[in-house]
Amino acid sequence: GFTFKVHLDEVPGVRLADWCDWRTRLPMEAASSHAAGGDGTGRSRWNSSDLELVEAECHMEIAVMYNQGRITLRADEPRGDPDKKEVEAAVFHLAEAARQDLPDALLALARLASGREHTEFLPQVVSTTEHMETSMALLAHAASLGSAVAMGALARLVLDAEPCSKVPSELRCVALHLEAFAAAEVHDTEVKLAKAREKLAEVEQRALEREASNEEEEEDEDEDE
């Protein structure tokens, strides 16, 4: 266990109110992100959006480094497990990355806000179920950027809630997220299948070339005899 806990809503500089309503954001079809050369998290590789996310990526990396004990605020102590101030610094940088629309940061902050177990990343941070709406809003924002993971996670959270807490408009929103998630999964499968077919075609072509080469060698040997 840890000798201290950091309450998410008490971290200096972090405003959870910036993300308040998951119902106002609809999912971007993740397949369109893939078609643009993305990775399913809402980002396209090596295009203008990547350049816009450089600062956010830096904030995210700083948060990760604090979590791993690779950087420290303590000048008189060796690097190791982060202390309370360093955990708070990590959360601040994570929130900044999320504020700048980095899907990975939105997903990580949503996990912290959910109050559910998160042993691998900033386990010292605690939250309560009253921030579940914030967690869902973060997931919805990531989903609007094309994150298939966020689409599926948000739908699961809503459907796992008490039946009496659901209203038709929320269920319609969940249906849109599930539809977009399914489209992303189908697209991933199609991409993997296409790559497998390309690989098979390459193997078959090499086999044909090898067979043709063997036949030529046999013909040359016959001529020599």
Side-chain angles (χ1 to χ4, degrees):
F2 300 99
T3 58
F4 66 89
K5 292 181 180 179
V6 172
H7 293 272
L8 184 60
D9 55 357
E10 296 178 0
V11 176
V14 175
R15 284 173 41 87
L16 296 181
D18 290 346
W19 301 278
C20 57
D21 191 357
W22 63 271
R23 303 163 189 82
T24 59
R25 289 190 177 272
L26 298 180
M28 181 181 79
E29 187 174 343
S32 64
S33 171
H34 281 280
D39 56 10
T41 62
R43 291 178 292 168
S44 298
R45 294 190 181 96
W46 305 111
N47 59 16
S48 59
S49 63
D50 280 305
L51 297 178
E52 294 167 0
L53 288 175
V54 168
E55 183 178 342
E57 292 274 13
C58 290
H59 281 295
M60 185 69 187
E61 183 62 21
I62 291 172
V64 170
M65 292 175 72
Y66 270 125
N67 178 62
Q68 296 174 343
R70 292 160 54 196
I71 55 177
T72 180
L73 298 174
R74 295 162 287 176
D76 57 340
E77 295 184 31
R79 297 177 185 177
D81 292 337
D83 64 11
K84 185 175 181 180
K85 289 292 184 182
E86 290 162 353
V87 171
E88 289 178 342
V91 174
F92 171 80
H93 285 286
L94 176 64
E96 284 300 305
R99 200 186 315 281
Q100 296 180 34
D101 293 345
L102 185 66
D104 289 347
L106 288 162
L107 290 169
L109 189 56
R111 187 70 180 183
L112 297 186
S114 71
R116 298 190 174 189
E117 186 178 8
H118 50 93
T119 57
E120 295 183 359
F121 185 63
L122 299 176
Q124 305 90 339
V125 177
V126 295
S127 186
T128 61
T129 53
E130 65 186 56
H131 293 307
M132 184 58 74
E133 284 281 322
T134 299
S135 176
M136 294 165 71
L138 288 159
L139 290 173
H141 189 66
S144 74
L145 297 171
S147 170
V149 174
M151 296 169 195
L154 176 59
R156 175 74 179 272
L157 286 176
V158 177
L159 294 177
D160 283 350
E162 292 296 327
C164 61
S165 67
K166 304 183 184 74
V167 296
S169 60
E170 291 181 355
L171 292 175
R172 284 193 292 272
C173 186
V174 168
L176 291 174
H177 282 279
L178 287 174
E179 183 180 3
F181 175 75
E185 290 295 298
V186 169
H187 181 80
D188 282 343
T189 301
E190 290 175 344
V191 169
K192 291 176 182 177
L193 182 58
K195 290 181 178 179
R197 285 172 175 166
E198 290 177 3
K199 190 68 176 178
L200 178 60
E202 291 176 4
V203 171
E204 290 176 342
Q205 181 62 32
R206 291 197 191 101
L208 289 173
E209 292 174 353
R210 190 178 298 111
E211 183 179 349
S213 177
N214 291 339
E215 289 177 354
E216 289 179 1
E217 291 178 359
E218 290 176 1
E219 290 177 0
D220 291 341
E221 290 175 359
D222 291 341
E223 291 177 0
D224 291 340
E225 293 178 358

